[in-house]
């Protein structure tokens, strides 16, 4: 049967419409090819993001270094305050002793004067004249009599001896009074120096605290920026930065320990931080905090984790020096000092304090050895000068670890064995038992 013309037209039109639809669909499915400008813009954006991330990480490291330096300066200022306090105490004792000596010299002058007067009175009663007696009793008469040969001849040998003793006593008294005046001036100068040192210590401690607070605040902002650039969360970025900072500190500490062949603490198994943490800053050498250095549970170095958008490869520990052989146990005063220092753990650091409720670093070591029957000076510098010196590689528990920068000794700790120390770290910290922070450690330890 032949199709009707109308039906053929509909079929033809339908075929044409279907072909057109297929053609349109095929055209819309064709991919858009990026231009060279698009590629260049994308690469520039990636490079800009990478540069921003690098700059932020450099700023984080710079902030941590600034906090460390501020804590060291605070420790130096605290030791200067301690030294000024010791100098004032010495000056007060010297002034007091000089005044006592001057008073004793005045008493000797009085006794000698009385003896001269007694001889003169006796001479008058035995026939002397009133003019001769008045010479001895007048203000200048004694000196005139001392130098008057005629008078000596008239009064005899006893008078000559008495006048000589009086002359000598007055000379000694003059010297003693000059020394007392000088000692008093030194005391006043020492008082002024102590006030200046106290102000400087307060200012340095304030600067360290302000620097720490500022860097912590900036750190939070920088981490938020890093999270936005890496398309992660602030919490994950904070954990990553904390791990990177700890890794850097571990490397620095291991390098410093290796440089002086020092015993190091065996690292514990790594543990990811549960919450974001501010970078530790050493104050003076303090717990990774001086002010602090090495943390109480250091994690072994790990390769920085990539952005969370890609799986993180397993951490690859960096080479670390093997733990030193366990040192021989201490005995005697060192063991007793260390044992006593451990009982003070948890008590706050206060500069210039030497117990019983708070300590600075040298105050703690002084009291520890005092309780072991050994007297140490008050300041770190004087303690270093007062002890025997042994290489830090040969330390035994109870030995003293000293820290210095640019020739300034500013911190002291007690070696507790196995790479650990007991010390009073910095303002805001407390006496603690932590791994040794080896940066700035003097190569010679002290053994009282």
């Amino acid at each position: 049967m032949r199709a009707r013309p109308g039906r053929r037209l509909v079929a033809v039109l339908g075929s044409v419409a279907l072909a057109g639809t297929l053609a349109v669909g095929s055209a819309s499915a064709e991919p858009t090819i990026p231009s060279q400008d698009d590629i260049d813009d994308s690469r520039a954006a990636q490079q800009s993001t990478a540069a921003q991330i690098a700059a932020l990480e450099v700023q984080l490291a710079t902030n941590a270094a600034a906090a460390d330096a501020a804590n060291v300066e605070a420790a130096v200022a605290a030791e200067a305050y301690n030294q000024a306090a010791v100098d004032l105490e010495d000056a007060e004792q010297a002034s007091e002793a000089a005044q006592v000596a001057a008073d004793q010299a005045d008493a000797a002058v009085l006794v000698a004067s009385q003896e001269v007067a007694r001889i003169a009175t006796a001479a008058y009663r035995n026939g002397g004249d009133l003019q001769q007696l008045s010479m001895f009793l007048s203000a200048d008469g004694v000196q005139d009599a001392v130098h008057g040969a005629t008078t000596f001849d008239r009064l005899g040998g006893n008078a000559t001896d008495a006048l000589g003793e009086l002359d000598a006593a007055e000379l000694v008294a003059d010297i003693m009074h000059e020394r007392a005046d000088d000692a008093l001036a030194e005391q006043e100068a020492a008082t002024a120096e102590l006030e200046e040192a106290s102000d400087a210590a307060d200012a340095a401690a304030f600067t360290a605290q302000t620097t720490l607070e500022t860097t912590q605040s900036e750190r939070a902002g920088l981490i938020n920026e890093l999270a936005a650039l890496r398309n992660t969360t602030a919490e994950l970025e904070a954990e990553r930065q904390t791990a990177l900072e700890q890794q850097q500190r571990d490397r620095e500490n291991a390098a410093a320990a290796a440089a002086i062949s020092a015993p190091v603490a065996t690292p514990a198994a790594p543990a990811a931080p549960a919450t974001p943490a501010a970078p530790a800053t050493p104050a003076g050498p303090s717990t990774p905090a001086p002010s602090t250095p090495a943390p109480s549970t250091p994690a072994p170095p790990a390769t920085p984790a990539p952005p969370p958008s890609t799986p993180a490869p397993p951490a690859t520990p960096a080479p670390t020096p093997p733990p030193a052989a366990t040192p021989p146990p201490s005995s005697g005063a060192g063991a007793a000092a260390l044992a006593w220092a451990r009982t003070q753990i948890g008590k706050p650091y206060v500069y210039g304090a030497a117990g019983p409720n708070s300590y600075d670093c040298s105050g703690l070591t002084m009291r520890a050895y005092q309780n072991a029957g050994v007297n140490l000076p008050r300041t770190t510098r004087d303690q270093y000068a007062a002890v025997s010196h042994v290489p830090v590689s040969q330390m035994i528990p109870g030995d003293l670890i000293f820290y210095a920068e640019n020739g300034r000794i500013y911190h002291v700790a007690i070696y507790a064995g196995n790479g650990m120390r007991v010390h009073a770290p910095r303002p805001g910290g407390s006496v603690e038992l932590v791994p040794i922070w080896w940066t700035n450690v003097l190569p010679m330890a002290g053994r009282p």
Side-chain angles (χ1 to χ4, degrees):
M1 178 184 294
R2 298 180 63 183
R4 295 178 180 180
R7 291 183 176 178
R8 292 181 62 190
L9 178 61
V10 170
V12 169
L13 293 175
S15 299
V16 171
L18 177 60
T21 302
L22 292 174
V24 171
S26 175
S28 63
E30 182 178 344
T32 301
I33 300 175
S35 67
Q36 185 61 45
D37 289 341
D38 292 335
I39 295 173
D40 292 342
D41 290 344
S42 177
R43 287 175 176 172
Q46 289 179 343
Q47 292 173 353
S48 175
T49 299
Q52 292 179 61
I53 290 173
L56 292 174
E57 291 183 333
V58 167
Q59 187 60 49
L60 284 167
T62 301
N63 287 352
D68 289 349
N71 281 324
V72 169
E73 289 303 315
V76 171
E79 281 306 302
Y81 169 84
N82 285 344
Q83 189 61 56
V86 170
D87 291 343
L88 175 57
E89 183 179 354
D90 291 343
E92 288 174 341
Q93 292 176 351
S95 179
E96 182 179 353
Q99 188 57 54
V100 168
D103 292 342
Q104 291 174 343
D106 288 341
V109 169
L110 178 59
V111 170
S113 297
Q114 290 174 341
E115 178 62 15
V116 169
R118 184 190 66 78
I119 293 174
T121 301
Y124 172 73
R125 289 174 179 173
N126 291 328
D129 56 42
L130 185 59
Q131 181 179 3
Q132 180 180 328
L133 176 60
S134 64
M135 177 184 294
F136 287 100
L137 300 181
S138 67
D140 299 325
V142 171
Q143 291 298 328
D144 294 339
V146 168
H147 301 291
T150 302
T151 303
F152 290 168
D153 294 340
R154 292 177 180 175
L155 297 183
N158 289 339
T160 302
D161 293 342
L163 290 171
E165 290 178 3
L166 176 59
D167 192 38
E170 288 181 336
L171 179 60
V172 170
D174 289 343
I175 294 174
M176 291 300 102
H177 278 287
E178 288 179 4
R179 290 182 179 177
D181 291 342
D182 291 343
L184 181 60
E186 291 178 2
Q187 177 183 342
E188 293 171 349
T191 300
E193 289 177 3
L194 178 62
E195 292 176 356
E196 292 178 3
S198 178
D199 292 342
D202 287 339
F206 178 78
T207 297
Q209 183 62 29
T210 302
T211 301
L212 177 61
E213 292 173 356
T214 300
T215 55
Q216 287 176 339
S217 176
E218 290 181 355
R219 182 179 189 270
L222 294 171
I223 283 176
N224 286 333
E225 292 184 44
L226 286 172
L229 291 170
R230 289 198 176 102
N231 196 25
T232 63
T233 65
E235 290 75 12
L236 288 174
E237 195 59 46
E239 291 182 8
R240 180 176 184 276
Q241 287 303 316
T242 298
L244 290 175
E245 289 160 3
Q246 188 56 60
Q247 174 184 338
Q248 178 62 26
R249 287 186 177 277
D250 289 343
R251 284 198 298 264
E252 291 176 1
N253 206 34
I260 55 176
S261 302
V264 295
T266 303
T275 57
T281 54
S286 49
T287 309
S291 251
T292 337
S296 53
T297 55
T303 301
S309 57
T310 58
T316 303
T320 55
T326 302
S330 59
S331 60
L338 174 59
W340 184 89
R342 286 176 178 271
T343 68
Q344 305 304 298
I345 290 175
K347 292 186 177 180
Y349 177 104
V350 175
Y351 73 78
N357 299 318
S358 59
Y359 299 91
D360 64 11
C361 63
S362 56
L364 176 68
T365 53
M366 180 186 72
R367 293 301 182 206
Y369 268 94
Q370 187 179 71
N371 279 272
V374 177
N375 291 323
L376 288 179
R378 177 63 183 86
T379 66
T380 56
R381 182 184 67 184
D382 291 343
Q383 287 181 7
Y384 186 78
V387 298
S388 299
H389 297 144
V390 295
V392 293
S393 59
Q394 299 176 19
M395 288 190 302
I396 60 175
D399 286 347
L400 300 180
I401 308 166
F402 293 92
Y403 293 77
E405 183 182 67
N406 296 328
R408 304 173 298 179
I409 299 178
Y410 64 84
H411 191 66
V412 60
I414 302 177
Y415 181 52
N418 295 319
M420 304 294 286
R421 63 177 173 171
V422 176
H423 74 148
R426 70 197 181 286
S430 300
V431 178
E432 57 188 1
L433 172 66
V434 291
I436 297 170
W437 178 251
W438 289 105
T439 299
N440 291 344
V441 168
L442 289 177
M444 303 300 286
R447 186 170 297 167

